Amino acid sequence: MQKQRVFSGIQPSGNLTVGNYLGALKNWVAIQKEYENYFCIVDLHAITVPQDPKVLRQKIREVAAIYLAVGLDPEHCVIFRQSKVAEHTELAWLLNCVARFGELSRMTQFKDKSQKGGADSASAGLFDYPVLMAADVLLYNAHLVPVGDDQRQHLELMRTLARRFNHTFGDTFVVPEAMIPPTGARIMGLDDPTVKMSKSSPVPAHYVAILDEPDAVRKKIRRAKTDSGSEIKADPERPAIRNLLDMYSAMNGKSIPEIEAEYEGKGYGDLKKDLGEVIVEGLAPIREHALELLDDPAELDRILDSGAERARKVASPVLRDAKTRMGVE
Ligand code: TYM
C-alpha cells in the first residue's frame, strides 16, 4: 500500500527553539517511517520580513543540520530548500487568484507580525504568506501537516483553498489535515509565559535555543519567570508553571499528573533544576551532532540539492495539472 504523504517546514530565521523542537521536529522524527515525508526549509517565507542575506545563507545550513541532527533520515524524508523548487512560487500565484483579500486580512499571524510597523508598511509577501504556505503543501498532495498550535488558522485557510480549487476546476488537490501534538504544541516565552515562545525574539532569555550550550539552558530555565504560589500544579491561572510542566511532559513523555505527583511538597526551584536537566539531556546530543554537520557545509548543500531534485519530480506534474485546469497550460 502506498504511504500517505507528510509535508512540513520551518523558517530559517532566528534561532530554532525548544518550541520548534517540541511543536514540530520531535514529531516529524517520530512519524517518519510511517509516511512519505517532505521537510522543507522555507526560506521564501523567511524573507517576508527583512533578513540579512549573509545571515540567512548561514541559517539555512543551520536548519538543515538541525533537521538531520534530530534524526530525520534522508532515506525516509526529502529534505530541501523551498527556493530551489520554483514550483512553490508558481503554484502560489495560481492560488493567489483563488484566495480572497478578506480571508488573508483575517489571519491573526499577519495582524500580529505587522502590528509593530503597521499593516501599511508590512511587505505584500507577509500578507501573502499563508498562500505560499498552502502552495507548499498542496504541491505534494500531502495528507498530513505536523505543526504546532499557532499554525491552525493557516491550515484552515489551506483546506479552504484546496476545496475551493477542487470545486471550481475539478478534483485536483488532496485536502490536507493538521497534525498537532497533544503536549508541547504551544510552548510559551520563558520571560513572559503569556506569549508564544518565538525564535525571532531579540531577548535570549525569552527562549531556549536548540543550539544553546548546556549551561545556558540550565541558567535560562532557572531564571524563567514564575507566578505567585509555590505548588507544582497545572493551574490555568498560573501560565508560568503550566509552561514548565508542558515542556517537562513533552520532553520526557511523563504525563502532567505524574509530574505533579512527583513534585508534591517540592517547590519551583526543584522543578526548574530537574527541567533544566531534562532539556539538556534531550538537546545536548542534537547540538553536538548539528555542530559536527556544520563543519561540512558542502555535504549539507549536497543533501539539500538532492532533496530539491526529488521534490521537483513530485511537484512538477501537480503544478502542470493545476495550470491545465485553470487554462494556463
Ligand atoms: P515557523 O518557522 O514559525 O515554526 C516552525 C514550526 O514550529 C512550530 N512552533 C512552535 N510549536 C510549539 N511552541 C512554540 N512556541 C512554537 N513556535 C513555533 C510551528 O507551529 C511550526 O510547526 N508557517 C510555518 C512554516 C511553513 C509551513 C509550511 C509549515 C511554511 N510552509 C507548510 C507547514 C507546512 C511556521 O510557522 O514556521
Side-chain angles (χ1 to χ4, degrees), residues 7-13 16-25 28 40 42 45 82 109 113 129 132-134 136-137 145-152 154-155 158 181 184-189 195-199:
F7 186 102
S8 200
I10 296 185
Q11 298 184 62
S13 55
L16 262 59
T17 70
V18 68
N20 300 123
Y21 178 64
L22 296 174
L25 289 163
W28 301 359
C40 190
V42 290
H45 278 109
Q82 187 186 35
Q109 185 164 307
K113 283 203 181 174
Y129 181 114
L132 178 59
M133 183 166 158
D136 292 341
V137 175
V145 187
V147 284
D149 178 75
D150 60 333
Q151 298 303 309
R152 275 181 204 278
H154 288 157
L155 257 296
M158 184 184 292
R186 192 173 181 80
I187 301 299
M188 309 305 276
V195 301
K196 189 193 69 171
M197 183 181 283
S198 159
K199 61 169 137 54

Side-chain angles (χ1 to χ4, degrees), residues 23-62:
L25 289 163
K26 188 167 184 271
N27 310 306
W28 301 359
V29 176
I31 60 168
Q32 65 177 327
K33 293 201 178 137
E34 289 165 60
Y35 299 100
E36 181 185 322
N37 311 282
Y38 295 82
F39 294 126
C40 190
I41 300 170
V42 290
D43 50 357
L44 299 175
H45 278 109
I47 58 169
T48 57
V49 296
Q51 304 289 344
D52 175 332
K54 255 209 232 115
V55 177
L56 180 60
R57 260 183 220 111
Q58 175 54 25
K59 288 286 165 193
I60 289 167
R61 289 204 182 109
E62 199 174 288

